[in-house]
Each structure stands twice: as structure tokens, then as C-alpha cells.
Amino acid sequence: MEDNLAIILNNSNKTISKLQVLSAFFDEEIIYKIYLRSQVVHKLFETNPELDINKLELFHIQYTDSVIDLLRKIKADNEKNVSLLYDEIHLNEELIEKLNNAVFTEKSYELDKQRQSLKMNLSMRALFKTLSENTDEYPFSRNINAFSNRYAQDFFYDISADQMLALINFDTDKVYKNTHATIQKKLMGLLCKVDFKTEFFCGLRSGDLAVEIYRFLDLDRHYLYLPSKNLLLLCDLSTIPNIDWTNNLSKKARILQELNSKNDLLESRAKLIKTRLPEPVKAVLSEYHEKISEVDFLQKIGNYDVQTNILKAMLNTDGL
């Protein structure tokens, strides 16, 4: 008899320990209450040998085991859904790593923008000289077109073909032209006025065509340089709407930003889903807790009731 008592009490402790683990996993008040109440029931039988110990075993079989099986099923389903989210996070991380290993970075772009500004200012000064002296000397700095070739695809803003054509369209009577370049007369006058002090502002791209936009340091004016034709014209950026000129992030950087933000959201969602307990289950567990907390509960052990049947039914229900 004593051996049977020890075995049932030992098995009861094991069952309650399983419930404790699930209580910690879900971190739900109602599960914790059920865990505590189960401990009270166990302690009652442990300290009152006159009670029928078989009823403790029956209590766990009818009630506690059903709760544990139900919570384990929900836990397994939740972890399956979380696994899918982490698969997506992993794929995003692989893409982030590839993008981070790209040759041209934001830092190199910023440095090369400064170099390109210097090259352009020197080239404009040289072009003015060749036009003034009517010489055939090549005015542009060495590898001046390498900048657009390197950065246009990733760092230049995309515009429509119509917008690009409107920008590079010009009146032939209003330009200076020689073998090496075509420059708007008014632009050359402004460049002389500011002593050729300009800086690279941004790049625009439409298909394979790219232009570099420069800003006068002391004037709220801009001009463009079309590397493929060595064409230089004044331009009005207000004719190109819907572009955030303050956004200096490359396409790569914007994608990285989006991927990192998405992964943060997926991580948060995974944490919520991992321990999610459906509302219908919470409601049944609350009724179950009330049932095992009743004063005369021990008298009813052995009689299956509605809550027990619902708990068992939920084990066979998909989409909890």
C-alpha cells in the first residue's frame, strides 16, 4: 500500500513538473493558477493519508494530463509557425550579408563625390579656357566619366524617359560647342561668376542614360552633366516631382534598411506567436480552473464533465 502511495505521489510530482514547464513557457496567468492549484491538490493527498490516493491519480488522468496534452499541441503548432518566420529571417540575413559585401559602399560614394566635384570644377575652368582661346585641347579631367559608370545604378535617382529628355533638351543657338563639349552660354557665364565653385548634388538615371547634377555653392541653382555626350546645361529640379532630394541612401542601403526593419518585425511577431494562447483555450482553461478550485471538487473526481470533454476535443482541432 505504501509502495503504491509513493509511486502515485512520485508520478504526481512528475506531472506537475511538466505543467510547471508549460506555465513558464506560455507565461499566462491562468496556466500558472492551474499549476498552483494542482500543487495544492497534490499536497492535500500527500499530507492526508486517510484520503484515497487513487483519486489523485485519477485527477491527473482526467484533468492535468488533458491540459498538458492540449498545451503541448498548441506549443508545437506555435513553434512550427515560428520556424517559418525564422526561415524568412535567415534568408533576409543572407541577402543583407551579400549587400554589405558589395564593392561600392556609402563611404566610398561620399568620398568619390568630393573628388568628382573637384574634377568637374577643374574641367569647367579648362573648358572655359579652350573656348576663350579657341584651342582643341581636351578640357576634362582624367577618368571623369568613371564616376557615373560606377555609381549610377545604385546611387542615382530613377526618373522617367520623358523627364530625362526634357532635362537634356537644348537650343543650339544658346550653347558653346567644340570638339569635346557642348555647354550652355548662360551656364558658362554663371560658372565664371562664381569662380567655378560647385559641388556634386545628385545623379539622375533613366534606363542606360545618366546625368550628374551639380549645385552652385553660393546660388540656389543647378546644372547637369551628361557624360555620354559631354553636355552641360542649367537645370530646374522643381520640374521633377516626387523625389526626396534629402534621401542620400543608395538603392542598396534602402534595401538593407527595409530588410533590417522587416527582420525586426518578424522577430517581434515570432516572439508573440511562440507563446500565443488562443482565446477559446483561455476561456476553457479558466472554467477548468474554477472547476478544480471548487470546495467539493474532490467528491466529483471520477465524473467526466463538460470542461474535460472540451479540453480533449481541442486536442483534435486544427488551427487553434
Side-chain angles (χ1 to χ4, degrees):
M1 182 68 180
E2 290 184 0
D3 288 343
N4 184 54
L5 174 68
I7 291 171
I8 291 176
L9 287 174
N10 183 53
N11 289 337
S12 175
N13 277 321
K14 290 179 180 179
T15 299
I16 292 172
S17 293
K18 294 174 186 177
L19 190 57
Q20 181 184 23
V21 171
L22 289 165
S23 171
F25 176 82
F26 284 100
D27 195 24
E28 281 284 348
E29 183 182 3
I30 188 58
I31 301 176
Y32 187 66
K33 285 181 176 179
I34 292 171
Y35 159 66
L36 291 178
R37 185 58 186 168
S38 299
Q39 282 187 309
V40 170
V41 172
H42 173 90
K43 198 69 177 176
L44 187 64
F45 281 94
E46 187 178 42
T47 56
N48 294 277
E50 71 276 8
L51 295 177
D52 184 359
I53 192 64
N54 293 306
K55 283 194 173 184
L56 175 61
E57 184 177 36
L58 198 57
F59 162 70
H60 287 311
I61 291 172
Q62 287 187 359
Y63 294 96
T64 317
D65 288 347
S66 296
V67 171
I68 289 172
D69 289 343
L70 176 61
L71 293 178
R72 280 178 170 174
K73 179 181 186 297
I74 295 171
K75 181 175 181 287
D77 289 342
N78 288 354
E79 289 175 341
K80 188 185 301 181
N81 292 329
V82 166
S83 177
L84 293 175
L85 292 178
Y86 276 108
D87 285 344
E88 185 176 353
I89 289 172
H90 180 65
L91 290 173
N92 289 341
E93 286 174 343
E94 288 182 345
L95 183 54
I96 288 169
E97 185 177 358
K98 289 178 182 178
L99 290 171
N100 278 327
N101 292 332
V103 176
F104 304 121
T105 64
E106 303 290 328
K107 185 176 180 180
S108 66
Y109 178 59
E110 291 301 320
L111 290 173
D112 282 349
K113 280 194 332 185
Q114 297 175 29
R115 297 190 185 100
Q116 186 69 0
S117 296
L118 178 59
K119 283 183 179 182
M120 183 56 67
N121 290 337
L122 292 173
S123 298
M124 293 303 94
R125 193 181 293 275
L127 178 60
F128 173 72
K129 182 179 179 181
T130 59
L131 290 172
S132 300
E133 299 176 2
N134 196 26
T135 65
D136 197 35
E137 183 179 349
Y138 183 72
F140 292 100
S141 297
R142 182 180 177 185
N143 296 327
I144 195 169
N145 293 345
F147 180 80
S148 284
N149 291 336
R150 178 176 297 176
Y151 294 109
Q153 185 171 359
D154 194 29
F155 288 84
F156 285 20
Y157 297 101
D158 289 313
I159 61 174
S160 69
D162 289 340
Q163 289 173 326
M164 180 65 77
L165 289 174
L167 283 175
I168 63 177
N169 186 46
F170 64 92
D171 186 342
T172 55
D173 294 332
K174 296 181 179 181
V175 298
Y176 296 118
K177 186 174 184 179
N178 66 9
T179 308
H180 306 296
T182 300
I183 183 169
Q184 193 172 359
K185 293 176 181 179
K186 190 173 182 179
L187 169 57
M188 182 56 80
L190 283 174
L191 287 168
C192 291
K193 183 178 178 180
V194 300
D195 194 27
F196 304 96
K197 293 178 180 177
T198 68
E199 65 180 0
F200 180 85
F201 178 71
C202 72
L204 302 175
R205 176 173 173 264
S206 178
D208 295 330
L209 207 57
V211 296
E212 299 168 14
I213 305 296
Y214 293 84
R215 183 180 71 87
F216 291 92
L217 294 181
D218 300 320
L219 297 172
D220 187 23
R221 300 288 299 274
H222 301 82
Y223 74 92
L224 65 84
Y225 170 55
L226 178 60
S228 60
K229 294 188 180 296
N230 287 346
L231 174 66
L232 298 121
L233 303 170
L234 285 168
C235 64
D236 182 4
L237 296 183
S238 66
T239 61
I240 307 175
N242 304 322
I243 290 183
D244 179 9
W245 302 109
T246 63
N247 185 359
N248 294 319
L249 292 176
S250 67
K251 293 182 181 68
K252 179 192 73 176
R254 286 194 289 272
I255 292 172
L256 282 170
Q257 197 174 67
E258 290 170 3
L259 287 172
N260 281 312
S261 295
K262 186 174 184 180
N263 273 3
D264 288 342
L265 290 173
L266 289 172
E267 286 274 7
S268 298
R269 188 180 171 195
K271 290 177 182 177
L272 291 174
I273 290 177
K274 185 177 181 180
T275 58
R276 181 182 68 89
L277 199 63
E279 290 302 322
V281 174
K282 289 183 185 179
V284 171
L285 289 177
S286 294
E287 292 180 22
Y288 165 78
H289 177 257
E290 290 177 9
K291 177 66 64 178
I292 64 175
S293 299
E294 291 176 0
V295 175
D296 61 344
F297 171 71
L298 293 179
Q299 305 301 321
K300 298 179 181 179
I301 293 178
N303 299 320
Y304 278 88
D305 57 18
V306 175
Q307 277 71 40
T308 306
N309 289 330
I310 293 175
L311 285 168
K312 291 186 176 296
M314 282 185 170
L315 288 169
N316 300 315
T317 303
D318 293 328
L320 288 173

